[in-house]
Amino acid sequence: MSFPLLTATAALPAVGAIATAAVPAERRTAAKWLALLVSLGTLALAAVQLVRFEPGGDRYQLTESHAWIKDFGVRYELGVDGIGVALIALTALLIPFIIVAGWHDADPLETHSSRWRPTQGFFALILAVEAMVVLSFEATDVFLFYILFEAMLIPMYFLIGGFGDRAHEHGDEAAATQRSYAAVKFLLYNLVGGLLMLAAVIGLYVVAGTFSLDEIAAARANGSLDMATNTERLLFLGFFFAFAVKAPLWPLHTWLPNAMGEATAPVAVLITAVVDKVGTFAMLRFCLQLFPEASKWATPVILVLAVISIIYGALLAVGQRDIKRLVAYASISHFGFIVMGIFAMTTQGQSGATLYMVNHGISTAALMLVAGFLISRRGSRLIADYGGVQKVAPLLAGTFLVGGLATLSLPGLAPFVSEFLVLVGTFSRYPAIGVIATLGIVLAALYVLVLYQRTMTGPVKAEVQGMPDLKVRELLVVAPLIAILVFLGVYPKPLTDIVNPAVQHTMSDVHKKDPKPVVEAAQ
Amino acid sequence: MENLIALLIAAPLLGAAVLLCGGRRLDAVGHWLGTLLAAVSFGLGVALFADMLGRSADNRAVHKHLFSWVPVEGFQADVGFQLDQLSMTFVLLITGVGTLIHIYSIGYMEHDENRRRFFGYLNLFLAAMLLLVLADNYLLLYVGWEGVGLASYLLIGFWQHKPSAATAAKKAFLVNRVGDMGLSIAIMVMFTTWGSFAFSTVFNQVGETGWGRNTTVGLMLLLAACGKSAQVPLQSWLGDAMEGPTPVSALIHAATMVTAGVYLITRSGAIFNQVQDVQTVVVIVGAVTLLFGAIVGCAKDDIKKALAGSTMSQIGYMILATGLGPIGYAFAIMHLVTHGFFKAGLFLGAGSVMHGMNDEVDMRKYGGLRKYMPVTFVTFGLGYLAIIGFPGLSGFWSKDKIIEAAFAKGGTEGWILGAVTLLGAAITAYYMTRVMLMTFFGEKRWNEEETHPHESPGTMTIPMIVLAFGSVLAGGLFSINESFVKWLEPVTSFSHGDSPVSAGVVTASTIVVLLIGVGLAWAQYGRKPVPVVAPRGSLLTRAARRDLLQDDFNHVVLVRGGEHLTRSLVYVDHTLVDGVVNGTAAGFGGLSGRLRKLQNGFARSYAVSMFGGAAVLIAATLLMRAV
Amino acid sequence: MNPVNYLYLSALLFTIGAAGVLIRRNAIVVFMCVELMLNACNLAFVVFSRMHGNLDGQIIAFFTMVVAAAEVVVGLAIIVSLFRSRHSASVDDASLMKL
């Protein structure tokens, strides 16, 4: 038996989480270093996955399969395709940055008793989320995936509700109330989605008699499993609803601004760049593969919702007064692009959507983490409280601008490639929707530049005076992210090479071919 | 040799990276490094030019495929370059004028603490602009297209502490993004139509597709060109862009970037030639802008804004020429190059004046400066003579050709266009003479105690002198044997067209309208003293001072409307979308409150419900059995 | 004698017990009524055992008795302690645990 690489990638952070949680109260710094080392180890394992993964090979590679709950045919089945491996790499890549960025976010306040161990808890929870997210990208058993999909809500709930922006919250009751409201809202939204999915999972088992993705897909392909149209549609809706809440898609989005606004910046990155990706990833893997006909049936409605998300999210981002909520609405707009790319049912759209997931993760991390550094300096999330930061902290302003430019998909940075692929992919099948979505690029420029102008330029505000520039630790977080954004913008081929074969499989799942160019079709 | 093409872009890109990431350590040498790399790029350009001249006209185009950029099935985007005569012309203009302006900036920005950053941005601009003109496909061109937009954004907002500069930068980027939207839609249509967006594939197959798709592509490319080249209706950003340092206005907002739209249309000539209707729209846009810019230029008292109006108007000439098809492309590019020389020279002159006048931009507070700044006066004067089309100077050759080509369009259209271009020439003469008179002639209108006008240092005057030579000679050189037209012909093709008016008549009439314009300006600003406080002026003047009210229109319709829209959406999101959710939650809360009342704590009432429940169950069981 | 008559008796006893539980307030009386219902059921079990000719019903009756005995112990203890603390054996007074 070969080394269970996939299990190891998920197990390492899980074990690390327990170990971190067990560190004694006074050894706070040791817990931080332990968490960082574990996350770097996971990154190394993810890198090994990337190396061992053969783009042209089988659909699911590095597979593992063990019986788990025999009575219900639940198996512990793992395997990665190109999309999974790319997203695992993204997750493993971002967690160390999140940990370093949140290095001081969970230091206990002086008022706390010495036995209080928030630091250990904070980093342990982050690692726990990482373990579950990684495993959910690997799971090829529907039930296993469902359990992880729900279980990751628990650590996320505590991360959102338990840790706020430290700098301005010493004893602030109102902030704590806001935070617990956001955490409960996050939990309830996702639980409702999860419940519907549970019903659909059970329904799927009743219809198919197994939870294994491979077996169901094979049975569907050779015709031995023939779902009635209505059954398939209902099951699809159950799955899709859960993923649309997680993604989040308009009008199920309102938990995201609250959660991202109240959580600390690293946790906000964890939500939008890592956890939410499970939703869009699952649309590609489960919705399209298990229910191809229903997916095609629902496409028009989903595309309209996605376009609404794009425009609506961008417009609301323009109207925000709070930096973090602005980024949250921008993310909603971006998730609209991802969903649109997935359901455009073209190679470009789906490859673009996958790249988008990766690129959005990195670009949002860059923007949000710098925003977090900014907020920690002034102790306010309100845009109006800033002004002229560029003059006193040019490095901070510069990195913030690069993060913003990545968010508005400037060519030369990674998000442009994915956004353009999504637009082209959508346009080639649904021109009208593609054109409307293109409006999003103008609005993106608007909210990013307005944010930059109001916070960074103009006369220096009195409260901003004397604001220190980025420290070494902070620069260590931002600089690599920016380097990756530039690299993937100029040379995304390594990523597309991995993703393309997986997308080919998905396209054949739904029996769709790219529309031919007009000239070629005429010949 | 073609390997040098990538180096051409890499040199300034390297400069940008080093200067922007290098930190304060490079402050002492940053400007020299930036200038050196710009000069290296120019040197490479000249080497490539010499190499190109060595080949016959048909073999001059060079292609260099660098690497596969975004390969996804049918969508194959490559990083590849195409250096042909058209690109070569631009490369020389961009790097040549660019290097001169780098040199000028050494002096101009001497006292700015962020000079290193400024040169980093300038280098970034050069790299992006070179990428724009060297790309061999539209997607890569798009990268350069937005890259110059970014550089322009950064440079307009270079003095970020001024809110007006930051706002102007944002406005420029946003308006450009609207144009970029056009370009990206054009690329999408290209991909769905021809399966590619490489120049070669698209231009070879463009004849095989129907009117609808070609028209869409053409209109969208025009939209892109309007954004970048500040043509009506996307012209509003250019005037505000003058908030940037003057070298920026000279390089980006006069000589190079704003002409990218002309490049785009000329490059896409194969597409535009297919659809007459789009060409008509192009011509109309050009004609409208040409008058619009000229009128605005007449009313501005800010020297840079007056020149910006003039830039808009001159690019209007070029766009109009490109809309004429093969009759006009070569002349559009020729005017573009000569304009690059004289307008850059004029802006640098304006910068030199501001440098000596404590950064005063109001021409009403200038006057009589020719004695204090002789070099600036002479170089500016030569640029002035060139732009108004004084016989023998650059502008005369290139603008004259465009006017001829406009008449050669034929029919009523030809007459209308000819008349518009002639009218434009008259207004050009008027507003440029006004600038000249208000700045260098007449009474001193500045405070002698506060202001001590002086000539600028050598780093600033030398580029001005070089550009002045260009302004005087370029047009004439290009016109010997029609060498410029022949040079470009393999790329843009060329046809003479039948002008209903002979060339001599056109030349004569341009000289006449030129004299009329100059005379009018002299009557108003030369003969009598210029008031320091601007008179109220006619309705048209007041409107022109406000950029013919289109900014007010934008403000009321787009800015205000947009604000209301976003505000109401925020409200809707909070009350309606979120309200539904919170309402559901509240509904459940209320329901549970009601249900809670049932638990009244009386054991006997629980017992009743138990018995009732049992009775119902039994009854149901019996009923089921009976059925 | 027709065993069905015993069933009628059982139903009658059960109804009396149920009515007592619902109507009476005194905890002791309620408690006795519960016992009455239990024993009504026991009677029915025994009758069914007789009617069907097997021992299942009688065995269950024994179980019921054991459970009832245990229940009496717990129930009386609760009533006694309730009476001690509140000086009343009324079930309506004991509504402290409602929300």
Side-chain angles (χ1 to χ4, degrees), chain A residues 52-373:
Chain A
R52 297 232 334 237
F53 185 81
E54 291 161 23
D58 291 344
R59 178 164 192 180
Y60 294 112
Q61 299 184 20
L62 306 170
T63 49
E64 296 168 29
S65 180
H66 306 281
W68 183 22
I69 310 174
K70 284 208 179 106
D71 291 346
F72 299 110
V74 178
R75 297 183 65 81
Y76 177 78
E77 269 190 348
L78 303 182
V80 281
D81 58 357
I83 302 169
V85 96
L87 289 172
I88 291 169
L90 168 75
T91 307
L93 176 76
L94 286 180
I95 298 290
F97 291 114
I98 290 173
I99 288 177
V100 177
W103 202 248
H104 296 301
D105 278 3
D107 287 348
L109 305 179
E110 278 144 27
T111 49
H112 285 146
S113 75
S114 59
R115 285 169 58 204
W116 184 242
R117 298 194 300 168
T119 317
Q120 283 84 336
F122 184 71
F123 291 104
L125 287 170
I126 290 178
L127 287 180
V129 172
E130 178 178 26
M132 289 191 241
V133 170
V134 167
L135 201 59
S136 69
F137 287 140
E138 293 169 346
T140 52
D141 184 283
V142 179
F143 194 78
L144 179 62
F145 175 82
Y146 168 74
I147 288 184
L148 293 163
F149 187 78
E150 290 290 70
M152 68 181 77
L153 299 180
I154 301 166
M156 283 316 299
Y157 171 77
F158 288 112
L159 279 173
I160 297 168
F163 303 91
D165 289 325
R166 295 262 140 180
H168 62 110
E169 276 188 10
H170 285 275
D172 190 343
E173 281 299 316
T177 319
Q178 283 279 316
R179 243 187 10 244
S180 67
Y181 170 74
V184 169
K185 197 171 183 180
F186 163 82
L187 192 69
L188 283 182
Y189 258 91
N190 284 284
L191 274 182
V192 169
L195 272 181
L196 283 179
M197 185 182 164
L198 176 64
V201 167
I202 294 169
L204 182 69
Y205 181 69
V206 170
V207 176
T210 171
F211 285 119
S212 164
L213 197 59
D214 262 349
E215 284 175 33
I216 298 175
R220 298 226 60 171
N222 64 26
S224 62
L225 172 59
D226 197 17
M227 286 187 206
T229 315
N230 278 331
T231 320
E232 186 183 341
R233 285 176 186 176
L234 282 176
L235 293 179
F236 167 82
L237 287 179
F239 275 83
F240 183 79
F241 187 81
F243 304 150
V245 169
K246 192 80 126 200
L249 196 64
W250 187 89
L252 306 170
H253 64 275
T254 52
W255 64 268
L256 187 71
N258 283 84
M260 280 179 76
E262 299 305 326
T264 62
V267 173
V269 172
L270 195 64
I271 298 171
T272 183
V274 177
V275 173
D276 284 355
K277 295 298 183 306
V278 181
T280 43
F281 163 81
M283 286 181 196
L284 259 177
R285 175 170 281 180
F286 295 100
C287 285
L288 295 194
Q289 201 176 340
L290 293 174
F291 317 108
E293 295 308 316
S295 299
K296 281 188 268 186
W297 161 74
T299 294
V301 177
I302 293 173
L303 282 179
V304 169
L305 289 181
V307 166
I308 294 178
S309 286
I310 292 172
I311 304 296
Y312 185 88
L315 281 174
L316 275 160
V318 176
Q320 293 304 313
R321 295 185 195 135
D322 175 325
I323 300 176
K324 283 159 124 187
R325 287 177 68 91
L326 189 151
V327 180
Y329 277 106
S331 284
I332 290 168
S333 177
H334 289 151
F335 278 111
F337 274 107
I338 298 176
V339 174
M340 188 174 86
I342 292 172
F343 282 89
M345 308 278 183
T346 53
T347 319
Q348 291 82 32
Q350 295 187 344
S351 279
T354 311
L355 294 192
Y356 212 125
M357 290 186 223
V358 175
N359 296 337
H360 170 257
I362 301 169
S363 69
T364 306
L367 182 64
M368 192 69 180
L369 292 179
V370 180
F373 300 149

Side-chain angles (χ1 to χ4, degrees), chain B residues 290-291 293-295 297-298 306 310 313-314 317 342 346 380-381 383-391 399 403 420-438 509-525:
Chain B
L290 134 68
L291 292 179
I295 293 169
C298 292
S310 155
S313 162
Q314 297 300 313
Y317 271 107
F342 57 67
L346 287 170
F380 195 94
Y384 155 74
L385 292 176
I387 193 175
I388 62 171
F390 191 80
K399 198 192 289 177
I403 297 173
V420 168
T421 46
L422 274 178
L423 180 62
I427 308 179
T428 309
Y430 172 81
Y431 66 72
M432 282 313 298
T433 311
R434 173 175 175 270
V435 169
M436 197 67 195
L437 291 172
M438 282 174 91
S509 32
T510 48
I511 294 171
V512 170
V513 296
L514 163 76
L515 290 176
I516 294 173
V518 174
L520 272 177
W522 184 78
Q524 225 176 331
Y525 296 95

Side-chain angles (χ1 to χ4, degrees), chain B residues 429-505:
Chain B
Y430 172 81
Y431 66 72
M432 282 313 298
T433 311
R434 173 175 175 270
V435 169
M436 197 67 195
L437 291 172
M438 282 174 91
T439 308
F440 291 101
F441 293 89
E443 297 291 307
K444 295 172 199 168
R445 294 184 298 275
W446 29 275
N447 186 338
E448 286 193 62
E449 280 166 25
E450 288 170 17
T451 316
H452 309 284
H454 55 85
E455 188 53 90
S456 302
T459 45
M460 289 170 67
T461 47
I462 291 168
M464 285 153 59
I465 295 168
V466 176
L467 286 171
F469 270 105
S471 319
V472 174
L473 300 176
L477 286 177
F478 291 162
S479 301
I480 301 172
N481 275 336
E482 295 195 316
S483 56
F484 193 82
V485 173
K486 282 181 187 151
W487 158 254
L488 277 183
E489 203 181 341
V491 185
T492 59
S493 70
F494 179 70
S495 70
H496 260 291
D498 304 319
S499 177
V501 200
S502 74
V505 176

Side-chain angles (χ1 to χ4, degrees), chain A residues 82-83 86-87 90 277 284 338 342 347-363 414-422 485 488-489 491-500 503, chain B residues 69-72 75:
Chain A
I83 302 169
L87 289 172
L90 168 75
K277 295 298 183 306
L284 259 177
I338 298 176
I342 292 172
T347 319
Q348 291 82 32
Q350 295 187 344
S351 279
T354 311
L355 294 192
Y356 212 125
M357 290 186 223
V358 175
N359 296 337
H360 170 257
I362 301 169
S363 69
F416 168 72
V417 174
S418 41
E419 188 163 301
F420 201 80
L421 278 175
V422 166
L485 282 175
L488 285 182
Y491 195 61
K493 196 161 172 290
L495 205 54
T496 53
D497 283 347
I498 292 175
V499 168
N500 282 342
V503 167
Chain B
W69 181 28
V70 191
V72 178
F75 185 95

